[in-house]
């Protein structure tokens, strides 16, 4: 049974944290970064995969999501400082970081900013930074939100006023995953929209992705696994290839036939990969 708590951090904000606790967590701790949008809840398949390997799982709602205090103008790198504050409050020294979709950049931020604390990182369908040497929007089925985010928060917020969900962003395999083991992903995203925090949190995430991340990927020293679906229509395969080339020592798993959600079926194997390299 997970515990949900609000943790006050040194800058005066509050972060909404979920934690499976340290009982039988002999193998260590995973800090899990949910995609966009989210409520800060733990996802059952993530918890189950970690529990089977003796891993504690901690996650949190990024600023503006759930009960976490908004942080206007936050960068991707700010997530690392929030994670450090959470880990300090929970008495956790070193940890793995994993992130899916919008959680991927934030997982990489932890590895770059907290090299003495992160023992390994794995991302699933993570976007790369919006830099000149990648055609960042190419191949995205619905690039409008990130295109608007390039022009700042006001532009992204205006786009949100008329944005509608396009079912074509997901493959048949994604929809099968969302109706099966990964039903929790769709349920959590829907809950974020329903509780009113999803809109602002998602806007702030997108703006953070489209602006400079505020970190140096070259500073990453731990093992890094980049997991990417070949058929992803949300974050196309060139993002995974770019990250493999730019993150020191990164290994890319390009999973043929996987989309944006179904790629998370690789989480158990990714956990084994990380545990073998710590």
């Amino acid at each position: 049974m997970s515990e949900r708590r609000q943790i006050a951090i040194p800058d005066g904000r509050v972060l909404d944290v979920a934690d499976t606790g340290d009982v039988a967590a002999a193998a260590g701790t995973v800090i899990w970064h949910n995609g966009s949008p989210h409520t800060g809840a733990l996802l059952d398949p993530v918890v189950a995969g970690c529990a089977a390997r003796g891993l504690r799982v901690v996650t949190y709602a990024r600023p503006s999501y759930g009960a976490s205090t908004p942080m206007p103008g936050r960068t991707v790198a700010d997530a690392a400082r929030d994670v450090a504050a959470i880990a300090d409050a929970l008495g956790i020294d070193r940890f793995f970081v994993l992130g899916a979709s919008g959680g991927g950049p934030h997982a990489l931020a932890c590895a770059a900013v907290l090299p003495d604390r992160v023992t390994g990182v794995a991302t699933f369908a993570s976007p790369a930074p919006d830099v000149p040497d990648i055609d960042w929007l190419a191949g995205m089925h619905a690039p409008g939100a990130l295109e608007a985010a390039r022009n700042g928060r006001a532009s992204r917020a205006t786009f949100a006023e008329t944005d509608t969900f396009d079912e074509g962003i997901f493959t048949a395999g994604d929809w099968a995953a969302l109706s099966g083991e990964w039903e929790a992903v769709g349920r959590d995203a829907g809950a974020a929209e329903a509780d009113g925090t999803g809109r602002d949190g998602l806007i702030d995430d997108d703006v953070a992705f489209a602006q400079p991340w505020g970190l140096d990927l070259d500073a990453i020293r731990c093992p890094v696994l980049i997991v990417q679906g070949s058929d992803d229509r949300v974050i196309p395969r060139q993002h995974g290839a770019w990250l493999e080339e730019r993150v020191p020592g990164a290994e890319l798993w390009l999973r043929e036939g996987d989309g944006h959600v179904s790629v998370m079926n690789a989480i158990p194997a990714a956990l084994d990969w990380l545990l073998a390299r710590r």
Side-chain angles (χ1 to χ4, degrees):
M1 180 68 69
S2 65
E3 179 181 353
R4 197 76 178 255
R5 69 184 86 178
Q6 280 71 56
I7 292 178
I9 63 173
D11 68 5
R13 290 181 295 118
V14 171
L15 294 173
D16 188 2
V17 177
D19 178 13
T20 61
D22 58 3
V23 177
T29 298
V30 165
I31 307 290
W32 170 261
H33 295 265
N34 278 309
S36 312
H38 67 273
T39 68
L42 288 164
L43 303 179
D44 292 342
V46 175
V47 171
C50 289
R53 293 159 177 82
L55 290 161
R56 176 183 186 177
V57 189
V58 175
T59 193
Y60 75 105
R62 291 189 288 278
S64 290
Y65 287 120
S68 291
T69 307
M71 186 183 182
R74 63 179 165 93
T75 67
V76 169
D78 286 322
R81 291 176 273 276
D82 284 352
V83 165
I86 291 168
D88 289 345
L90 297 178
I92 300 168
D93 181 22
R94 291 172 62 78
F95 43 86
F96 299 106
V97 286
L98 282 76
S101 186
H106 299 99
L108 291 168
C110 291
V113 178
L114 308 172
D116 295 332
R117 303 188 72 170
V118 175
T119 53
V121 58
T123 67
F124 307 84
S126 174
D130 185 10
V131 291
D133 62 345
I134 182 173
D135 194 349
W136 200 55
L137 300 177
M140 292 184 184
H141 183 83
L146 290 175
E147 188 170 24
R150 281 175 153 175
N151 296 316
R153 195 182 195 285
S155 172
R156 177 62 181 85
T158 298
F159 179 85
E161 293 174 1
T162 58
D163 187 27
T164 57
F165 178 70
D166 183 347
E167 293 187 357
I169 64 172
F170 293 141
T171 67
D174 288 332
W175 285 113
L178 286 166
S179 65
E181 183 177 10
W182 291 100
E183 180 271 340
V185 172
R187 174 164 32 92
D188 189 59
E193 295 293 342
D195 72 12
T197 68
R199 180 182 183 276
D200 281 341
L202 180 58
I203 289 169
D204 289 342
D205 273 353
D206 283 351
V207 173
F209 301 147
Q211 306 300 321
W213 286 8
L215 56 90
D216 181 5
L217 291 173
D218 286 338
I220 296 177
R221 294 291 178 263
C222 65
V224 178
L225 179 62
I226 308 296
V227 187
Q228 174 71 43
S230 67
D231 296 350
D232 194 329
R233 299 174 184 171
V234 180
I235 303 297
R237 61 194 294 169
Q238 74 266 19
H239 288 254
W242 189 97
L243 289 169
E244 179 196 22
E245 291 176 1
R246 303 307 192 284
V247 177
E251 181 173 326
L252 173 65
W253 287 359
L254 182 64
R255 288 172 57 91
E256 292 296 332
D258 269 345
H260 194 67
V261 180
S262 61
V263 75
M264 289 196 290
N265 289 325
I267 286 175
L271 290 170
D272 290 339
W273 186 94
L274 289 170
L275 287 167
R277 287 162 176 78
R278 65 176 174 176

